[in-house]
């Protein structure tokens, strides 16, 4: 299996404080990796750094995506390359509808015009999959959306944009059982039908129940301290992180 992402000795600083102290990680194309760890370990920082958030400065190391060094690339260029990040707390963007945002993003990524009729059919299909009211497509992005609808809108973007690598940061946080099930189904479609590559940052194991996990990693104090297979998820769920942190 070809390599999708390779992180080498990554050090990341925010507001003058180093948060990641040398992270190494490799993800093969089509694989699903789970990143877990205690609060404040640096999990979200890693997601933001991979996406090129300007607040997070890479002071050492490299990020190789599909054989290309993207360490110095801006966030918009990484998105065009095929990286996608879903946020813990999606932002509200007044003045642009959900459907226009997605269509414009698709055109920016491919450099090609997206035909309106084809787009409307595709977005209607994916919204049905996610049990989303079609009216949300014409509403301003995330404005007045419930927490669950915001997360569904993130997964809708994932399915429509079909990125090379999706980084899902606590996508299941704040969701009730039904919403977690629906969001998990959408992620499963990306994983299985679209052969997508995933890095799932999570505290909960509920969202993983319908997914095939290839590898699990534990991040603590800014470093990956343990690596394992899918069985590690159940072990952490039962016994916590103490064993790995020690």
């Amino acid at each position: 299996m070809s390599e999708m992402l390779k992180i080498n000795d990554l050090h990341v600083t925010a507001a003058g404080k180093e948060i990641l102290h040398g992270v190494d990680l490799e993800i093969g194309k089509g694989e699903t990796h789970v990143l877990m760890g205690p609060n404040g370990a640096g999990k979200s920082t890693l997601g933001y750094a991979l996406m090129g958030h300007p607040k997070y400065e890479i002071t050492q190391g490299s990020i190789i995506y599909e054989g290309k060094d993207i360490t110095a690339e801006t966030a918009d260029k990484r998105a065009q390359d095929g990286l996608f990040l879903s946020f813990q707390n999606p932002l509200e963007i007044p003045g642009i509808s959900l459907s226009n945002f997605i269509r414009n993003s698709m055109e920016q990524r491919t450099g090609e015009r997206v035909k309106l009729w084809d787009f409307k059919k595709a977005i209607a299909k994916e919204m049905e999959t996610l049990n989303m009211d079609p009216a949300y497509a014409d509403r301003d992005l995330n404005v007045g959306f419930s927490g669950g609808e915001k997360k569904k809108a993130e997964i809708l973007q994932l399915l429509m944009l079909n990125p090379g690598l999706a980084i899902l940061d606590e996508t299941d946080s704040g969701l009730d059982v039904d919403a977690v099930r629906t969001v998990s189904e959408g992620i499963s479609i990306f994983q299985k039908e679209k052969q997508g590559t995933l890095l799932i940052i999570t505290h909960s194991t509920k969202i993983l129940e319908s997914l095939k996990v290839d590898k699990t990693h534990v991040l603590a104090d800014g470093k990956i301290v343990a690596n394992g297979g899918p069985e590690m998820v159940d072990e952490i769920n039962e016994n916590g992180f103490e064993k790995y942190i020690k």
Side-chain angles (χ1 to χ4, degrees):
M1 183 175 291
S2 60
E3 190 173 77
M4 176 64 75
L5 180 74
K6 185 172 184 179
I7 305 169
N8 297 301
D9 191 29
L10 194 69
H11 293 247
V12 176
T13 299
K17 179 182 178 182
E18 186 171 273
I19 300 173
L20 299 182
H21 313 299
V23 171
D24 295 291
L25 181 66
E26 296 182 19
I27 301 177
K29 193 169 184 177
E31 290 183 344
T32 294
H33 288 228
V34 174
L35 182 67
M36 306 182 79
N39 288 330
K43 302 185 299 298
S44 292
T45 294
L46 178 59
Y48 285 127
L50 291 175
M51 201 65 224
H53 193 302
K55 176 183 172 182
Y56 298 90
E57 180 187 0
I58 296 172
T59 57
Q60 185 175 317
S62 63
I63 302 170
I64 310 297
Y65 174 71
E66 290 197 301
K68 175 185 176 184
D69 190 334
I70 63 168
T71 312
E73 281 191 352
T74 57
D76 60 323
K77 188 66 178 72
R78 296 186 198 198
Q80 289 176 343
D81 289 339
L83 270 72
F84 174 94
L85 172 65
S86 78
F87 298 96
Q88 282 191 45
N89 301 299
L91 297 174
E92 296 185 2
I93 305 180
I96 181 169
S97 69
L98 173 60
S99 62
N100 282 341
F101 176 81
I102 293 174
R103 189 180 178 205
N104 288 338
S105 298
M106 292 170 68
E107 290 179 340
Q108 286 294 318
R109 186 186 169 201
T110 63
E112 300 177 357
R113 181 176 173 274
V114 176
K115 293 181 180 179
L116 182 58
W117 176 247
D118 292 340
F119 173 78
K120 284 186 173 182
K121 286 196 299 183
I123 196 171
K125 175 179 176 291
E126 303 299 5
M127 291 185 82
E128 183 178 1
T129 297
L130 295 170
N131 293 322
M132 288 187 73
D133 183 340
Y136 276 84
D138 297 321
R139 290 178 56 175
D140 287 359
L141 179 61
N142 292 328
V143 176
F145 287 25
S146 68
E149 295 299 341
K150 285 181 180 180
K151 297 300 178 73
K152 288 182 183 181
E154 293 273 288
I155 301 304
L156 177 64
Q157 294 167 48
L158 169 67
L159 294 175
M160 292 294 293
L161 291 169
N162 194 23
L165 170 66
I167 305 158
L168 307 184
D169 186 9
E170 303 287 358
T171 300
D172 51 349
S173 65
L175 300 183
D176 61 29
V177 174
D178 290 336
V180 168
R181 188 180 299 113
T182 300
V183 165
S184 181
E185 183 179 343
I187 299 170
S188 180
I189 289 171
F190 174 73
Q191 180 192 60
K192 296 171 184 175
E193 295 184 12
K194 300 178 184 288
Q195 308 297 307
T197 306
L198 286 156
L199 175 60
I200 301 176
I201 301 169
T202 186
H203 280 106
S204 169
T205 59
K206 288 290 183 185
I207 200 169
L208 305 174
E209 289 178 357
S210 65
L211 302 175
K212 176 185 176 291
V213 173
D214 294 291
K215 294 182 182 178
T216 307
H217 313 278
V218 176
L219 186 72
D221 296 324
K223 290 185 176 182
I224 291 180
V225 296
N227 301 283
E231 71 283 348
M232 187 182 282
V233 172
D234 294 329
E235 191 171 327
I236 291 170
N237 195 37
E238 185 173 343
N239 301 311
F241 300 109
E242 186 175 357
K243 166 185 172 181
Y244 304 104
I245 294 173
K246 284 183 177 179

